[in-house]
Amino acid sequence: VQATYGVLIRLLPGQAALLDAARTASLYQIADGPAREEGLAVGEAVAGRIVALRSTDGSDVDGTYVFGSGPGEYQRTPPTFGNPNIPAFRFVKPFVLRRGDQFRAEGPPSLGSDEWAADFNETKRLGRVDSTERTAEQTVIALCGAEPALPMWNRVARSVSAQRQTGLVDNARLFALLNLAMVDANIPVWDSKYTYRFWRPVTAIPLADTDGNDATEADPAWTPLRPTPLHPEYPSAHAVVSTAAAKVLTSFFGRHTAFSTSTSTCPAGVVRSYDSFLPMADEIGESRIYIGFHFRSSVRNGAHMGRKIGHRTFHRFLQPLEHCTAQ
């Protein structure tokens, strides 16, 4: 309790009232005495060490970006036409990766290729705000997948761990592994995004007459189902982070783990059910096409990155010690 509180109060001092109340509620369940006081002291020491350890990790640097204007280059996107989000995040010190470019994606397809034309035309058909080819089910998938990945997957982990009745120590390891994987997954995602600087569908589709590919056709009125996030297209961050999370959860709970979940962006009353974690990650990847944010290659190659990150995290870090019994 105190380790959690000690980290959060340092990072989110404006949330003190909420954090103080949560700490009090948790400590109410623990009897007064030396064990509680010693636990508080250890927790506070750990919190201080962790925050100090990450104080120079570079996560507080936004960075700058110079836009291009040629075919394939990321450009300002409507409706805000704002600056891209934290381009310097690719330089953040990872937790479990050796460096931010360790799993850099291989790159988007060339604009003259058949692969690019297929990617382009799929998103053009299915991701448009008023698409007549996107099914009602695909629209639901698009909307449910719009929630940020970290709260989405932490909710799934809380639900399944409650079903399995995992204990305190196992839960501490589970949520540490899950969030280490997801946070670190964002670093190579940003490395790839700002290395390739690839244009979003909302730019590419209206400007298709500049890409040199006869199999693509411009549609100046094309608009995605929801407003485009403010960062380059390739690869899909949701695909990378979701697949990394699913790999960790699969390794922890097993391949055949059925569960149901909803997200804060799902239509009212919608609950999605899955027979394991990776199908949910695959569906999240598909959602980025249906919502008009990404192309197929971005989702596919992003998922490949996520699998490697999730595998590395689970199998190389926070390994249980043999003959260790936690009290």
Side-chain angles (χ1 to χ4, degrees):
V1 171
Q2 187 62 33
T4 303
Y5 175 85
V7 169
L8 292 175
I9 198 66
R10 288 170 169 84
L11 298 180
L12 304 170
Q15 299 291 321
L18 176 65
L19 295 172
D20 289 346
R23 177 182 181 274
T24 298
S26 292
L27 292 179
Y28 181 77
Q29 305 173 51
I30 304 171
D32 289 333
R36 170 171 151 153
E37 295 308 311
E38 290 173 14
L40 292 174
V42 172
E44 180 60 22
V46 169
R49 289 284 296 276
I50 290 295
V51 172
L53 181 68
R54 300 298 298 186
S55 63
T56 58
D57 65 5
S59 60
D60 58 346
V61 179
D62 288 340
T64 58
Y65 184 81
V66 178
F67 284 90
S69 58
E73 291 194 68
Y74 174 64
Q75 300 173 32
R76 295 184 186 274
T77 56
T80 65
F81 298 95
N83 290 325
N85 291 335
I86 48 175
F89 198 80
R90 57 184 167 149
F91 301 121
V92 170
K93 179 182 178 181
F95 286 93
V96 300
L97 303 183
R98 292 192 298 271
R99 59 187 189 277
D101 64 352
Q102 182 175 351
F103 293 122
R104 180 178 290 173
E106 64 183 36
S110 64
L111 297 184
S113 67
D114 292 340
E115 183 180 13
W116 163 244
D119 285 359
F120 174 98
N121 286 310
E122 179 184 35
T123 299
K124 182 182 180 183
R125 289 188 300 105
L126 299 177
R128 183 179 178 127
V129 64
D130 55 356
S131 172
T132 58
E133 297 190 44
R134 184 181 58 242
T135 67
E137 172 77 357
Q138 289 171 334
T139 299
V140 167
I141 290 171
L143 296 176
C144 288
E147 184 179 52
L150 270 71
M152 179 190 302
W153 286 98
N154 273 288
R155 183 185 301 111
V156 170
R158 288 197 303 272
S159 173
V160 176
S161 64
Q163 292 174 18
R164 295 289 185 90
Q165 297 183 327
T166 52
L168 176 65
V169 173
D170 284 340
N171 273 339
R173 177 171 176 258
L174 165 64
F175 286 94
L177 287 168
L178 175 64
N179 286 283
L180 287 172
M182 290 196 292
V183 170
D184 262 24
N186 276 287
I187 301 172
V189 166
W190 251 241
D191 168 76
S192 293
K193 281 181 178 290
Y194 288 98
T195 294
Y196 299 113
R197 302 159 54 104
F198 200 61
W199 57 2
R200 287 281 187 171
V202 73
T203 302
I205 294 171
L207 297 178
D209 55 357
T210 69
D211 69 6
N213 193 316
D214 292 339
T216 65
E217 182 177 344
D219 180 355
W222 193 91
T223 301
L225 180 60
R226 288 291 184 270
T228 299
L230 296 174
H231 44 81
E233 189 272 339
Y234 183 91
S236 164
H238 263 50
V240 178
V241 177
S242 290
T243 308
K247 283 291 291 182
V248 169
L249 293 175
T250 299
S251 297
F252 191 92
F253 289 112
R255 292 182 179 274
H256 304 293
T257 303
F259 64 96
S260 297
T261 190
S262 186
T263 71
S264 63
T265 55
C266 275
V270 170
V271 176
R272 307 289 297 171
S273 296
Y274 309 92
D275 58 10
S276 59
F277 301 106
L278 285 170
M280 177 175 168
D282 291 342
E283 185 173 281
I284 296 302
E286 293 289 321
S287 78
R288 310 314 274 176
I289 296 170
Y290 304 150
I291 204 170
F293 291 171
H294 285 289
F295 301 109
R296 174 69 58 184
S297 296
S298 182
V299 171
R300 181 178 61 252
N301 293 342
H304 182 62
M305 288 175 63
R307 282 191 290 272
K308 291 187 287 187
I309 295 165
H311 180 87
R312 175 181 173 83
T313 302
F314 186 86
H315 292 286
R316 295 198 181 190
F317 293 87
L318 305 186
Q319 296 299 297
L321 299 176
E322 291 187 24
H323 312 302
C324 177
T325 302
Q327 300 294 331

